[in-house]
């Protein structure tokens, strides 16, 4: 259009009018929506831009203006054209920027979509849950790291977009793309939160079912054990019953442990999600409720986080169809949904375990009742037999209290039998009746004996008086025989003389006395029957009835008292004349007994009457209180929810107030009930203790009173709570109703306004703009109401939360009441008002969203309409302008045509005149010559033009050839597209350049033609002027004929000139014809060029199609390749699974073969034993037959021997199981002779077990501590808790116990496993994990490759445990009895261990070597390093238990001794060398033997191992001098001499004597100044300074040794000491460079990932500030930035963590909030806040920002910072989230794990070990290996340093490198 317009405008006015039009077109040009459209726009605009760069029209207009001298218009034209070019440049730049930014945003969107799609299709069901959970955790961690990196890129992209949005004309397009990216990014972050929830819930699901199944198996085992072990019957001896009862009670303790586990599982089961319904194959009978984990909106439908919906269809894995709130069906991604608890499977399984446990407890109770009843039956039978065996002779020889105690014992045991036999399976009703008859018979026999006893005594006296000699013997013998052989005693056979009268009277009185006594016992028995008052509904009436009966009994006692007084008077009268003292003493004793008994019964009956009266009053008040409580409880449980009507709430509050006032009025009833209970208890206390039955029921009444009081108070508390909740609810409900009503009315009104606006119609642009303004105002108003709608939703949530809390309180009260009373409360289907409020608020929000969307869409529609109308208007304007231009050009053409016609007419006239004046032109030859010359010049010009045209033709031909070549290239495009693409683009650019050249050539030709036209026009104008002059001349001639002759010459000249002009005109006509021909040729060239351009466009279109096809097939190929890769991965996975299954199958086959062989061998052994036993049996039967002829006692002995021989066991007890006798033979613990003796019955398995006890389960390890200061024995862990032992020493001793077989309780002499010891509190939670690891030295380690159980030594060799730690455990095993075979569960000798591969001679040499590297245990008394045997030698043996105890000397005495003399005080240092090839640690001597170092180095390093001792040397003159001696080298230093020489000062000596300086520190002061020319190496501990003289001599002798020694690591290990645990991780220890570095530096090196680095720095910031590792100083964030510890970006990220220490400022109150309070106030996200709380809790307690001090959990609960659940969550450190990646193992760990695994410097700085390569064989995902700057070579650092423990926190590493400076360099940060 631009070129075309220029062709028709030949004047400057045309260009001046065209430039603004083009500018307006550029201004209003649109931008594309996608990359392809923008690319087309860039190509189109580049053409346009090229067309306006060199415009001939502009140049011509400029030339005309320059010729005219119109500078103003020229300047205006230049400004307009420059402005047009600038706008074109800006348009091209904007298009390019738009293309680049949209491509970048599109790539980011594609990245997000790929990760989103990957997470959406993941199956979160229960299939293979144990397999995919750990894998998904790893992938989730990787995803979070990728998101962190991507977030940085997106932040940079957002910065670019923000810059463009302020200046780019297509900002709306960029903003739309960016909003899409932001939406997708937010959605991906929402998905990650859902993944986190799924991981947590599914892990809990897996753990629960694993624990539940294990618990069920354990319960089955316990059930089988109880059923087999505790069987008994009436034939079971009493002693065995006692043992069974004792064991049964101990068994109950074990069962109670199951109770805790079962109850825990029951509680957990209620919170387990459902996974099976996630599978579409799982069919559910009822509706499946799902819960949203995040907000999701689609098509004006949405579901909020926490909302519930109904699952309709889950056949698709990625999306589920659900019915959401409001009954709307929608498709929601499955990852956003979880099926919440309760899980019927988990609840069923937990209830099954609970029921199983209850069944086991029922069995236990039944067994307990059976055993107790059998024991009481045995006791009763023993008493009955004893009473039935009594005779008068035996009774006469006993004191009255003796035989009364026998009867009393029978009564007690019989009462016990009656109680215990209730519910017993051992005794039926017939057995009880039989027992009762036996009991009555025994009592009758006893009464008869007691009645006959006085008469028997009297007869014995008479017989003695009648015949003192002979008759005495004749009478006594028959009587004795009668007494012995007759039961009961009958005196008729005895011949005796008639008794005297006094005896007859005495017998009568005795009969009356016995009758009185029986009557008294009957009253006592009757009184005992009325002691218990059953707790029934008629208890008060029962009390009244019993009061009447007791009053009657009391009256009987009064009548008995009167009868007793009468009888007593008669007896006393008889006794006054009695001569028999025995009879007198007996009768007086009986009278005293009856008197005492009668008095006791009268007192008891009186007291019991009063107690029963008090109990009656108590029950009456109790029932009254119960009626009141039941009424109020019923009123409280009748409502299960609240109302949404404010009036109903107020009415119910008034009812609650009325109930509260009623309870206040009847409050005195509680006091009355309690006072009556006190009275009853008081009277009960006065009752004699012999009536022990009296206080049983009263305790139940006390419980009932307490329960009733508690229920009364619960009612009061519930009323107060409900009143408060209802008041808050009423206030919040009013607020919600007001806000929701206003919002709802506003939405209705606004919808009406929106409808009116949409109904209105616009006729023109102005009315449309006005309409858009109105819609914009309405849209802004709707958008501004978003906060009000959110407030309504918040009010609804608050109100719903209050209602739910209120309903929960009601339900909790009802449930508690149901549990307390054990009465089911009828419940109806609850419809909560909270649901209505939530639905109403959701409806309001949905209506608002609908209104907002509708208004937004309509506003966009109007804006699009306005845009279209403006474009239409611009198009119409453009058309009008073009029409005007066309009309003007037509007019110009018409004018020019008319002028040409006039000229032609005048020319025809001139031709006639010229024919008449030919003669006048003869003389004009000169003009001809001139004309000829001009013609030649014209010919030359034409030839030049022809040559130009020929060149154009050649160019066209060349282009044709090029086009043909391009066609050939097109045929090969599919095969070589990638290479031809570049060539084609280059060819296109070249062709474009050539076309541009052609265009310029065309322009030049057109310019030349136009110049010729101008020349023709100029000549025509001259001709016209000449004609005018001719006319003037003719008129002058006609007027002046007189002057013709004078002007003849001039006329001739004129005619000549005219002729010349005519000739020239002819020539010009010819030239014009030629020009026309040239124009035709040029037009043909133009047509050819246009056809070539069209062909080029077709080629471009074909190329675009080919590109699209190529991209499509490329994407299809990529898709297929992805599917192939997926198939390959699945195939490889299946192959791996198949190989693992095959391996597992092979393993099972091998195990099966092993078992078959074992069983075959056992079968053969059993058959052998059977044959031997059969032979033995035959021989024994022969012996039995032979011995039957001997006496019975010998026969009995033989039978016993036979039974022992037949029942002997072929196994003995081991450490963790049974050990076969054959295994003992194989282990050389017994020989074949012992086996033969065992088979022959000469010895038993118990004999072998006793003899081999040290090998089977014995241990001589250090069992405990003996505290000399307090003379007590205590466990090792308790000694640490009381500050007597260091934690490191404690761990060493406890690990030695665990590795030796058992943990030992030295107080109770009990051997326990680690788990049992932990439950009993013998070890703490902080040591449990390490002790369980040490216990595996007994139970065995599992080989990760083969799955077999291996020994401790094999685990050391396979590097499953740290070598130094394993050697220390192995040493403890050997020192406590020998190496333990974990498979056979017993100790073995060293030689046997050699054969079985459990030990080797190299290890034996290491353990027997007496160097410091084998002294891995610390003596707390002398502070020296010892071997375990040496430490045992310093122990004592407990005389009572035989246990070995480590004595702790009295510190006061030790201090005095230390001040007087420090003799025998040792301090040692050891050097550990690490083999660079194997990573194994060894001593200096061992390294020398392996040729890792040469002899000179061995000597030099041996000098570093010192063992300082202070000695006191006495001279001959009696003087003493103090010296220190290195026991390893014999070097001796005189202290006084060092003082005299100035090597040490008196101050240093005084500090040493006072104990401020240790022996090693004092020795280093002397040695450091005594030696000259030496190099000193200082460790972080002042006690571990070492010197190495002549470093240049440390040159290994051989190249091999020199090469290996080049990377040997030498470690100087200080004494182990665990330092402060209350500081966070402060630095990173790089184990490859052996440097202490800051955390950001470790992050830059790539050995710590970004998330871990930020978390570690957050822990520092929220606990006091950033730690400077060099000084240990805490710094604020800005100070840390100034000191270059962290950068600005990290400081910005750490601000929330720093506020967790300094406090969050409350905007309203200006108060500093703690972290916990900030979480509650929503100032801090929950995840970050919980993380900061864990950091603070682990490092000393929660921080009070007001004071900066730490507070404990209890104080935090008291302040209301955390609740019980939050406190428990903080205290359960093992459940902390694993938010860090271990820089050493590359595994996920928690911050607690990181602190536990830290190295600790002396100043308390914790350093976390890090390396670029995982110690678990996993490469670091964020470290690039084998690149520039990457690390290579072997690791020279010590892996673990010391044998002090399993954690490397006490070793300082030094590296010796022979290839550099041959010096020792500190491994710590120098």
């Amino acid at each position: 259009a631009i070129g075309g317009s220029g062709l028709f405008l030949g004047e400057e006015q045309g260009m001046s009018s065209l430039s603004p039009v083009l500018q307006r077109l550029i201004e209003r040009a649109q931008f594309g929506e996608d990359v392809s459209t923008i690319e087309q726009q860039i190509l189109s605009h580049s053409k346009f831009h090229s067309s306006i760069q060199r415009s001939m029209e502009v140049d011509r207009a400029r030339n005309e203006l320059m010729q005219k001298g119109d500078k103003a218009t020229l300047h205006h034209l230049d400004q307009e054209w420059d402005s047009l070019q600038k706008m074109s440049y800006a348009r091209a730049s904007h298009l390019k920027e738009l293309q680049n930014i949209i491509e970048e945003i599109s790539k980011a969107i594609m990245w997000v979509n790929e990760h989103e799609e990957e997470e959406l299709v993941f199956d979160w069901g229960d299939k293979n849950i144990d397999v995919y959970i750990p894998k998904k955790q790893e992938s989730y961690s990787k995803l979070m790291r990728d998101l962190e990196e991507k977030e940085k890129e997106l932040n940079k992209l957002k910065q670019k977009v923000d810059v463009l949005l302020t200046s780019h004309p297509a900002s709306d397009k960029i903003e739309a793309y960016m909003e899409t990216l932001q939406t997708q990014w937010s959605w991906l972050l929402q998905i990650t939160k859902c993944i986190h929830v799924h991981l947590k819930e599914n892990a809990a699901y897996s753990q629960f079912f694993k624990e539940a199944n294990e618990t069920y198996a354990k319960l089955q085992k316990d059930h089988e054990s109880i059923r087999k072990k505790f069987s008994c019957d009436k034939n079971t001896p009493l002693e065995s019953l006692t043992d069974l009862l004792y064991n049964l009670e101990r068994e109950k303790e074990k069962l109670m442990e199951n109770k805790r586990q079962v109850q825990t599982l029951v509680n957990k089961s209620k919170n387990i999600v459902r996974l099976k319904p996630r599978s579409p194959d799982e069919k559910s009978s009822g509706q499946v409720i799902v819960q949203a984990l995040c907000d999701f909106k689609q098509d004006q439908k949405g579901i909020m986080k926490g909302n519930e919906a109904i699952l309709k269809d889950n056949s698709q894995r990625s999306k589920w169809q659900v019915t959401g709130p409001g009954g709307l069906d929608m498709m929601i991604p499955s990852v956003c949904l979880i099926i919440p608890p309760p899980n019927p499977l988990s609840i069923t399984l937990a209830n099954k375990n609970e029921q199983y446990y209850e069944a086991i407890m029922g069995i236990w109770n039944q067994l307990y009742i059976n055993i107790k009843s059998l024991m009481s039956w045995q006791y009763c039978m023993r008493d009955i037999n004893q009473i039935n065996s009594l005779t008068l002779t035996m009774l006469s020889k006993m004191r009255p209290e003796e035989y009364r105690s026998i009867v009393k014992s029978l009564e007690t045991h019989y009462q016990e039998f009656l109680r215990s036999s209730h519910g017993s399976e051992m005794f039926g009703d017939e057995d009880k009746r039989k027992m009762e008859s036996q009991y009555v018979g025994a009592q009758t026999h006893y009464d008869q004996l007691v009645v006959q006893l006085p008469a028997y005594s009297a007869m014995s006296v008479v017989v003695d008086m009648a015949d003192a000699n002979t008759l005495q013997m004749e009478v006594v013998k028959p009587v004795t025989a009668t007494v012995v052989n007759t039961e009961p005693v009958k005196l008729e056979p005895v011949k005796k003389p008639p008794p005297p009268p006094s005896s007859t009277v005495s017998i009568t009185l005795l009969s009356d006395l016995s009758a009185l006594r029986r009557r008294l016992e009957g009253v006592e028995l009757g009184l005992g029957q009325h002691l218990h008052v059953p707790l029934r509904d008629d208890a008060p009436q029962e009390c009244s009835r019993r009061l009447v009966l007791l009053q009657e009994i009391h009256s009987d006692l009064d009548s008995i008292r009167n009868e007793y007084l009468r009888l007593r008077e008669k007896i006393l009268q008889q006794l006054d004349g009695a001569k028999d003292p025995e009879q007198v003493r007996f009768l007086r004793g009986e009278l005293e007994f009856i008197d005492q008994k009668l008095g006791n019964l009268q007192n008891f009956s009186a007291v019991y009457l009063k107690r029963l009266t008090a109990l009656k009053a108590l029950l009456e008040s109790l029932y009254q209180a119960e009626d009141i409580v039941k009424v109020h409880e019923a009123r409280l449980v009748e409502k299960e929810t609240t109302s949404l009507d404010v009036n109903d709430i107020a009415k119910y509050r008034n009812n609650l107030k009325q109930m509260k006032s009623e309870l206040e009025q009847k409050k005195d009833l509680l006091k009355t009930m309690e006072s009556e209970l006190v009275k009853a208890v008081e009277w009960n206390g006065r009752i004699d203790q012999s009536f022990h039955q009296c206080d049983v029921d009263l305790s139940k009444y006390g419980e009932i009173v307490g329960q009733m009081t508690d229920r009364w108070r619960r009612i009061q508390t519930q009323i107060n709570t409900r009143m408060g909740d209802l008041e808050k609810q009423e206030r919040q409900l009013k607020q919600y109703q007001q806000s929701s009503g206003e919002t709802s009315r506003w939405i209705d009104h606004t919808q009406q306004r929106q409808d009116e606006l949409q109904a209105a119609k616009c006729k023109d642009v102005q009315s449309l703009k006005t309409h858009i303004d109105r819609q914009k105002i309405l849209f802004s108003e709707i958008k501004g109401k978003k906060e009000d709608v959110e407030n309504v939703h918040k009010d609804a949530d608050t109100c719903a939360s209050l209602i739910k809390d209120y309903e929960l309180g009601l339900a909790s009260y009802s449930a508690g009441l149901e549990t307390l009373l054990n009465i089911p409360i009828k419940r109806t289907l609850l419809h909560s008002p909270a649901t209505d409020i939530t639905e109403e608020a959701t409806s309001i929000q949905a209506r608002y969203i609908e209104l907002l969307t509708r208004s937004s869409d309509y506003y966009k529609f109007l804006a699009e309409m306005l845009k279209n109308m403006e474009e239409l208007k611009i198009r119409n304007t453009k058309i009008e302008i073009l029409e005007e231009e066309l009309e003007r050009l037509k007019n110009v053409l018409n004018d020019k045509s008319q002028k040409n016609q006039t000229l032609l007419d005048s020319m025809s006239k001139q031709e006639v005149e010229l024919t008449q004046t030919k003669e006048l032109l003869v003389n004009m030859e000169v003009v001809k010559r001139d004309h000829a010359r001009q013609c030649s010049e014209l010919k030359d010009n034409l030839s030049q033009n022809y040559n130009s045209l020929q060149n154009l033709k050649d160019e066209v031909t060349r282009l044709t050839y090029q086009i043909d070549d391009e066609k050939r290239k097109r045929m090969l495009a599919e095969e070589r597209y990638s290479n031809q693409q570049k060539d084609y683009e280059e060819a296109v650019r070249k062709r474009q350049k050539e076309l541009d050249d052609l265009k310029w050539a065309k322009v030049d030709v057109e310019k030349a033609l136009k110049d010729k036209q101008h020349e023709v026009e100029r000549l025509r104008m001259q001709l016209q002027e000449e004609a005018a002059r001719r006319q003037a001349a003719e008129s002058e001639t006609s007027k002046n004929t007189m002057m013709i002759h004078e002007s003849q010459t001039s006329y001739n000249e004129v005619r000549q000139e005219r002729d010349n002009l005519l000739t020239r005109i002819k020539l010009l006509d010819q030239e014009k014809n030629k020009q026309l021909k040239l124009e035709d040729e040029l037009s043909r060239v133009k047509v050819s060029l246009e056809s070539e351009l069209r062909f080029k466009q077709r080629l471009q279109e074909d190329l675009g199609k080919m590109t699209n096809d190529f991209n499509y097939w490329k994407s299809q190929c990529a898709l297929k390749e992805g599917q192939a890769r997926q198939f390959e991965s699945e195939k490889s996975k299946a192959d791996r699974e198949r190989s693992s299954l095959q391996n597992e199958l092979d393993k099972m086959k091998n195990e099966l073969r092993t078992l078959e062989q074992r069983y075959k061998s056992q079968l053969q052994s059993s058959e052998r034993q059977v044959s031997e036993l059969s032979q033995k049996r035959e021989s024994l039967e022969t012996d039995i037959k032979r011995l039957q002829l001997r006496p019975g006692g010998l026969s009995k002995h033989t039978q016993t021997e036979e039974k022992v021989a037949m029942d002997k066991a072929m196994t003995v007890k081991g450490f963790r199981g049974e050990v076969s006798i054959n295994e003992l033979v194989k282990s050389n613990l017994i020989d074949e002779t012992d086996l033969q003796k065992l088979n022959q019955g000469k010895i038993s398995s118990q004999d072998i077990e006793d003899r081999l006890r040290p090998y089977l389960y014995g241990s001589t390890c250090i069992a405990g501590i003996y505290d000399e200061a307090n003379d007590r024995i205590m466990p090792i862990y308790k000694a640490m808790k009381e500050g007597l032992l260091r934690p490191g020493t404690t761990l060493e001793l406890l690990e030695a116990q665990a590795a030796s077989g058992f943990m030992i309780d030295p107080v109770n002499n009990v051997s326990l496993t680690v788990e049992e010891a932990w439950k009993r509190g013998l070890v703490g939670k902080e040591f449990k994990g390490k002790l369980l690891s040490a216990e595996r030295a007994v139970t065995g380690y599992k080989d990760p490759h083969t799955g077999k159980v291996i020994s401790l030594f094999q685990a050391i060799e396979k590097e499953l445990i740290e070598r130094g730690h394993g050697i220390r455990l192995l040493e403890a095993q050997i020192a406590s009895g020998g190496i333990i075979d974990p498979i056979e569960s017993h100790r073995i000798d060293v030689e046997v261990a050699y054969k079985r591969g459990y030990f080797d001679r190299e290890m034996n040499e290491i353990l027997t070597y007496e160097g410091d590297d084998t002294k891995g245990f610390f003596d707390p008394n002398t502070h020296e390093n010892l071997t375990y045997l040496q430490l045992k030698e310093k122990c004592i043996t407990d005389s009572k238990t035989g246990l070995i105890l480590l004595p702790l000397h009295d510190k006061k005495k030790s201090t005095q001794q230390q001040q007087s003399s420090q003799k025998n005080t040792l301090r040692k240092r050891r050097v550990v060398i690490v083999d660079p090839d194997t990573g194994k640690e060894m001593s200096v001597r061992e390294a020398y033997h392996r040729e890792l170092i040469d002899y000179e180095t061995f000597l030099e390093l041996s000098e570093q191992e010192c063992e300082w001792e202070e000695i006191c040397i006495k001279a001959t003159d009696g003087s003493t001098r103090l010296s220190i001696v290195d026991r390893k080298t014999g070097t001796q230093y005189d202290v006084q001499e060092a003082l005299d020489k100035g090597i040490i000062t008196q101050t240093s000596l005084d500090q040493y004597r006072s104990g401020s300086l240790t022996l090693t520190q004092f020795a280093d002061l002397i040695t450091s100044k005594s030696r000259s020319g030496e190099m000193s190496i200082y460790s972080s501990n002042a006690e571990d300074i070492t010197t190495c003289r002549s470093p240049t001599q440390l040159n290994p002798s051989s190249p091999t040794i020199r090469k290996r020694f080049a990377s040997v690591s030498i470690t100087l290990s200080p004494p182990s000491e665990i330092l402060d645990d209350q500081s966070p991780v402060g630095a990173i220890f790089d184990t490859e460079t052996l440097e202490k570095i800051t955390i950001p530096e470790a992050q830059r090196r790539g050995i710590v990932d970004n998330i871990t680095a930020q978390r570690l720095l957050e822990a520092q910031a929220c606990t006091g500030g950033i730690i400077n590792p060099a000084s240990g100083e805490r710094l604020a964030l800005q100070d840390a930035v100034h000191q270059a510890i962290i950068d600005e970006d990290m400081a910005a990220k750490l601000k929330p963590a720093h506020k967790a220490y300094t406090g969050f400022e409350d905007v309203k109150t200006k108060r500093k909030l703690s972290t916990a309070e900030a979480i509650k106030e929503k100032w801090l996200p929950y995840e970050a806040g919980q993380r900061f709380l864990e950091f603070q809790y682990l490092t000393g307690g929660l921080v009070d920002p007001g004071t900066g001090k730490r507070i404990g959990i209890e104080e935090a609960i008291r302040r209301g910072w955390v609740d019980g659940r939050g406190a428990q969550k903080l205290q359960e450190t093992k459940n902390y989230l694993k938010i860090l990646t271990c820089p050493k193992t590359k595994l996920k760990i928690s911050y607690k794990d990181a602190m536990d695994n830290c190295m600790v410097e002396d100043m308390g700085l914790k350093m976390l070990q890090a390396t670029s390569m995982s110690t678990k064989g996993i490469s670091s995902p964020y470290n690039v290996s084998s690149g520039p700057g990457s690390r290579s070579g072997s690791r020279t650092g010590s892996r673990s340093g010391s044998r002090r423990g399993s954690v490397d926190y006490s070793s300082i590493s030094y590296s010796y490198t022979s290839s550099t400076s041959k010096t020792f360099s500190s491994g710590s940060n120098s």
Side-chain angles (χ1 to χ4, degrees), residues 651-709:
K651 184 178 179 181
Y652 188 63
R653 283 180 58 200
N654 293 331
N655 293 338
L656 290 175
K657 288 180 181 178
Q658 183 179 357
M659 292 169 63
K660 183 177 180 182
S661 63
E662 291 175 359
L663 288 176
E664 290 294 333
Q665 293 174 3
K666 298 177 181 179
K667 191 175 182 180
D668 295 336
L669 187 59
L670 287 179
K671 297 180 180 178
T672 303
M673 184 171 57
E674 292 174 353
S675 63
E676 293 297 337
L677 177 62
V678 171
K679 289 179 182 179
V681 171
E682 181 181 358
W683 287 114
N684 185 63
R686 298 184 183 182
I687 297 175
D688 191 273
Q689 294 299 322
S690 61
F691 296 93
H692 56 275
Q693 301 94 336
C694 302
D695 52 355
V696 176
D697 289 338
L698 192 59
S699 62
K700 295 181 181 179
Y701 294 138
E703 293 177 0
I704 295 172
V705 169
Q707 183 182 6
M708 197 59 61
T709 305

Side-chain angles (χ1 to χ4, degrees), residues 195 289 707 1416 1560 1792:
I195 295 172
I289 303 299
Q707 183 182 6
T1560 303
K1792 176 67 165 61

